[in-house]
Amino acid sequence: YFPEVFALTFFLSQHPDHPQLREPAWILGARMLHVGLDGTTRHDHRMELDNGAPFTSDLVEVEVGSKKFMVASKTPFIGFMSENQDFLNESAVWDGSRPIEDMRESMFLARQNRHPDQRAVDDDTWFSFMYQVRAWHSAVALTSYHEDVRPVLRALVR
């Protein structure tokens, strides 16, 4: 979906076996080249090229420090660590201790934000929704980033 995200994840990762971005990470100017992105990295339908994806018509000039860059403004991408990651125990599928068939219904509901466990809000539930909100807020708060980057985020993230 986002070739720039893939490339940066692969080349900037410091983990030899499981490439991942350091987080939180904004990738500005990323191009979403396929339709159907649902917010997860699991795919349940074929990838279809977005023939309407802009390549130059959405460029805007931004300044970082004293340098100016032309950056696409349509699809800023943010990656952040979910504090409720693996609340459905899908890692058991990937390590082979649980069959994927046991997960299909739960994953389908969760990918549509309709799984009942996604509504847990009590303090003593480790995957409580409030922890997800906290992680998201920390990732989007301008104060989480260097002051030279803040004007760029203000210009491109809407």
Side-chain angles (χ1 to χ4, degrees):
Y1 293 102
F2 288 96
E4 296 88 350
V5 175
F6 170 78
L8 288 170
T9 299
F10 186 78
F11 291 109
L12 295 180
S13 177
Q14 295 184 355
H15 195 289
D17 298 321
H18 305 288
Q20 58 187 346
L21 286 172
R22 289 184 175 195
E23 48 79 28
W26 280 100
I27 299 177
L28 304 173
R31 309 275 183 205
M32 185 160 52
L33 299 180
H34 291 90
V35 296
L37 182 64
D38 68 357
T40 71
T41 58
R42 313 291 191 272
H43 308 287
D44 65 354
H45 57 280
R46 69 184 183 102
M47 294 176 71
E48 188 174 323
L49 191 61
D50 181 0
N51 293 322
F55 283 97
T56 57
S57 62
D58 65 335
L59 295 178
V60 296
E61 186 175 273
V62 296
E63 190 171 330
V64 179
S66 62
K67 298 190 186 230
K68 294 183 180 185
F69 301 91
M70 297 300 289
V71 178
S73 62
K74 295 293 184 203
T75 53
F77 176 95
I78 185 168
F80 65 95
M81 179 63 169
S82 168
E83 293 194 32
N84 63 1
Q85 188 169 346
D86 202 26
F87 75 100
L88 295 175
N89 192 28
E90 73 257 24
S91 62
V93 172
W94 314 125
D95 72 15
S97 62
R98 182 178 185 186
I100 188 72
E101 292 74 28
D102 289 354
M103 287 293 302
R104 285 198 199 282
E105 182 63 21
S106 289
M107 290 294 282
F108 178 77
L109 290 171
R111 290 174 70 184
Q112 297 178 20
N113 290 320
R114 297 194 189 293
H115 194 284
D117 287 349
Q118 290 173 299
R119 305 295 180 261
V121 294
D122 47 313
D123 296 6
D124 59 344
T125 301
W126 69 269
F127 55 82
S128 178
F129 182 68
M130 70 179 172
Y131 300 129
Q132 183 70 2
V133 172
R134 179 176 66 189
W136 176 84
H137 182 269
S138 177
V140 299
L142 285 176
T143 54
S144 296
Y145 301 96
H146 191 278
E147 60 189 35
D148 287 347
V149 176
R150 293 176 192 170
V152 176
L153 291 173
R154 280 190 193 102
L156 295 176
V157 179
R158 299 177 191 267

